[in-house]
Amino acid sequence: MTVKAYGAHAGDKPLESIDIIRRPVGAHDIQIDIAFCGICHSDLHQVRGEWAGTQFPCVPGHEIVGRVVAVGAHVTEHRAGDLVGVGCIVDSCKHCGDCDDGLENYCDGMIGTYNFPTPDAPGWTMGGYSQQIVVHERYVLRVRHPEDQLAAVAPLLCAGITTYSPLRHWQAGPGKKVGIVGIGGLGHMGVKLAHAMGAHVVAFTTSESKRADAKALGADEVVVSRNAEEMEEHASSFDLIINTVAAPHNLDAYLALLKRDGALTLVGAPATPHPSPEVFSLIFKRRTLAGSMIGGISETQEMLDFCAEHGIVADIELIRADEINASYERMLEGDVKYRFVIDNATLAS
Ligand code: NAP
Ligand code: ZN
């Protein structure tokens, strides 16, 4: 089946309307009419070839929500008409220890929603900037939010789970002091989620203009990270800091804010490395520098249900498909509060 999509033919070319092919619905497949798709900074990194290995044409998008239109003969969990989501994962080996543990995100055979190898034409996966997608049932999530919130649910499928998973793993909750660095798509979700989990939340931003906003998102305190004195006030006090920044920067400034056994977890994935941190920043106070990648399928469902229960959605700006290129430029300037979401109905025109 041929569907309309938006993608790029090369890293230095803008995205444009293209036609792509979706596979026939297999016995375990679910065919989804995509209503909305969020724009993640990872889309920009990959469609511009900033990380190695982008295949062109590239159709990004891994914050997908929509409605089931058809299911294969062996599908039991979903039926036509259901509201569903698809995040960053559309396949994995299904039998390794990671898959058995529900951590498909760490399976060596994980297949990302776009730019990963697949037997389907043209040989690599094509993402959610498209009218429809066909996905194995294991990787399709149930959406329990009211339908009028659907566009604002889309960013939960990547920005939500990527911050939820490390918050849970490092046990954010009452009595814990948690920092979120970079108040963009991921960061604003991190603040909302850490607040809902009951942690004391401190937002770190480079943008003075986000100081008041971050409090409204749920931060107890806001630090403008360019201000050394404000940073110093929080020395050796954090249990956990999640860093979402998409550009290389000095990590020692954040390691110094961790108390004994605290962890700085990197989720931001800049195209070039951070300067190496001082070993002394780690050995004093037995601090940990860690990383975390999205989350498994069962944890993504848990996160969606947690958000539905607590009334949590992303703060979004809804755009047309022909505004995608302009929105990339605005994202680079930090000019989005806090996630662009594409109205996929506009792909048709
Ligand atoms: P985003 O919306 O562009 O937000 C990034 C934020 O980082 C900006 O809003 C800005 O916040 C801050 N920032 C940007 N440039 C900076 C600089 N030079 N110095 C200091 N702060 C800067 O991006 P996103 O979609 O949240 O994604 C963030 C990163 O996470 C990307 O690298 C993306 O590829 C990665 N990612 C990783 C995973 C994973 O599984 N680990 C999943 C999804 C995305 P302030 O204005 O508040 O400073
Ligand atoms: Zn993403």
Side-chain angles (χ1 to χ4, degrees):
M1 150 192 47
T2 301
V3 301
K4 295 265 175 236
Y6 229 74
H9 289 283
D12 58 358
K13 294 259 166 37
L15 285 80
E16 57 183 292
S17 178
I18 62 173
D19 289 343
I20 62 168
I21 294 172
R22 292 304 188 187
R23 68 171 182 251
V25 179
H28 287 281
D29 279 342
I30 297 184
Q31 181 185 354
I32 301 161
D33 214 345
I34 303 176
F36 303 102
C37 183
I39 294 184
C40 178
H41 208 114
S42 301
D43 300 351
L44 185 156
H45 288 308
Q46 288 182 80
V47 83
R48 294 193 173 174
E50 291 179 1
W51 298 343
T54 305
Q55 303 268 19
F56 293 98
C58 174
V59 173
H62 56 206
E63 293 184 337
I64 297 167
V65 289
R67 203 174 273 288
V68 174
V69 287
V71 300
H74 293 162
V75 171
T76 53
E77 288 293 305
H78 300 280
R79 60 178 66 179
D82 285 356
L83 286 183
V84 293
V86 175
C88 306
I89 308 172
V90 291
D91 208 354
S92 63
C93 85
K94 307 184 189 74
H95 50 68
C96 67
D98 295 318
C99 286
D100 288 348
D101 289 344
L103 294 171
E104 299 88 347
N105 49 322
Y106 297 117
C107 168
D108 290 332
M110 185 202 98
I111 301 299
T113 305
Y114 61 90
N115 196 38
F116 274 69
T118 170
D120 303 344
W124 53 94
T125 50
M126 297 281 194
Y129 299 4
S130 58
Q131 291 176 309
Q132 295 206 338
I133 192 166
V134 177
V135 180
H136 187 285
E137 59 178 332
R138 177 175 176 145
Y139 309 93
V140 176
L141 290 311
R142 185 169 297 282
V143 173
R144 295 191 164 89
H145 287 74
E147 188 172 357
D148 63 358
Q149 295 184 336
L150 197 57
V153 169
L156 303 182
L157 275 305
C158 175
I161 185 59
T162 301
T163 47
Y164 183 90
S165 185
L167 286 169
R168 276 281 186 253
H169 185 77
W170 278 275
Q171 295 164 350
K176 295 286 177 75
K177 184 172 174 182
V178 174
I180 306 288
V181 186
I183 309 305
L186 267 57
H188 97 288
M189 286 312 309
V191 170
K192 289 186 186 212
L193 292 167
H195 173 72
M197 289 174 189
H200 182 88
V201 185
V202 181
F204 292 90
T205 179
T206 57
S207 312
E208 184 67 45
S209 67
K210 292 181 187 169
R211 199 189 277 275
D213 270 45
K215 286 243 171 98
L217 294 170
D220 297 286
E221 300 177 68
V222 183
V223 171
V224 174
S225 54
R226 298 186 198 280
N227 184 338
E229 277 167 28
E230 273 185 66
M231 294 285 279
E232 181 60 30
E233 282 169 25
H234 292 271
S236 303
S237 66
F238 281 88
D239 296 283
L240 171 66
I241 299 176
I242 296 179
N243 187 329
T244 77
V245 174
H249 60 280
N250 170 20
L251 300 179
D252 289 305
Y254 294 103
L255 288 170
L257 305 188
L258 296 173
K259 67 185 194 190
R260 193 196 70 225
D261 293 324
L264 171 62
T265 299
L266 306 181
V267 295
T272 53
H274 295 293
S276 184
E278 278 286 345
V279 172
F280 290 107
S281 296
L282 294 164
I283 61 180
F284 289 137
K285 300 197 183 293
R286 197 164 56 186
R287 294 166 174 137
T288 300
L289 177 60
S292 183
M293 191 174 82
I294 44 177
I297 297 300
S298 59
E299 193 173 46
T300 304
Q301 188 63 63
E302 178 189 306
M303 176 277 309
L304 282 170
D305 295 346
F306 177 88
C307 288
E309 199 178 306
H310 289 82
I312 296 173
V313 291
D315 289 16
I316 66 158
E317 185 175 332
L318 196 63
I319 62 160
R320 296 187 314 269
D322 61 11
E323 296 174 300
I324 292 171
N325 292 301
S327 70
Y328 277 16
E329 295 308 318
R330 286 184 50 197
M331 182 163 60
L332 282 173
E333 288 159 15
D335 175 25
V336 50
K337 288 186 174 168
Y338 281 90
R339 200 58 139 183
F340 290 112
V341 173
I342 303 160
D343 178 354
N344 286 44
T346 62
L347 286 162
S349 52

